[in-house]
Amino acid sequence: MFGLPAFSAAQFQTHAQKFFNVEEVDAGIDAARATTILQQAGHAGTALLAVTADRAFLLHSPKAIGTNLFGKLSLRQQALDVVQLHKCLLEGALKISEEAIRNQENVSYCRETAEALLQVRSGKAQIAFLMNAARMEQVRDIAFAGEVLPQKSTDFYPKLLSGLTIYALD
């Protein structure tokens, strides 16, 4: 996240507590430790790490909130970490509009944890959100229900078209 006027880690923590249980973790967390924390916390459900230049928070165990926030999304979709991130934290806590998110006005996406941490610590980003990948069961259940996954929620490699050119079809 970048370009947020008057961003404050303390304010973020206060707003995030409306949606999640929030635990402060070591602000000097490295990529390997972040991955381990997310994997362990993710066994029980949604788990996100929010890292700023000088603070880090583990957000877990989403709190029951009104359905207005999730609109017409099914419970299967609502259970995705990326949906919790977008609806609760980006839109709810940080007040970034769905359109701004879609247009990546204040949001950029990083595949690598170490790169996201570097962006925050170098001052290029105000806060980085780290999350576990959607589980294959979640992808399967949503697809079989005829529902869609949110933007940027899956990252399969190689992409279908490049896979067709890279791999022989025997």
Side-chain angles (χ1 to χ4, degrees), residues 1 6 10 20 45 61 68 78 80 89 97 101 107 121 132-134 146:
M1 304 299 311
F20 293 94
S61 308
N68 293 349
Q78 291 176 35
L80 293 168
L89 299 178
S97 73
I101 294 167
V107 178
R121 293 184 176 136
N132 290 309

Side-chain angles (χ1 to χ4, degrees), residues 19-23 41-42 44-48 57-63:
F19 304 102
F20 293 94
N21 289 319
V22 178
E23 296 177 29
T46 297
L48 304 164
F57 308 101
L58 173 63
L59 301 103
H60 61 90
S61 308
K63 298 178 179 179

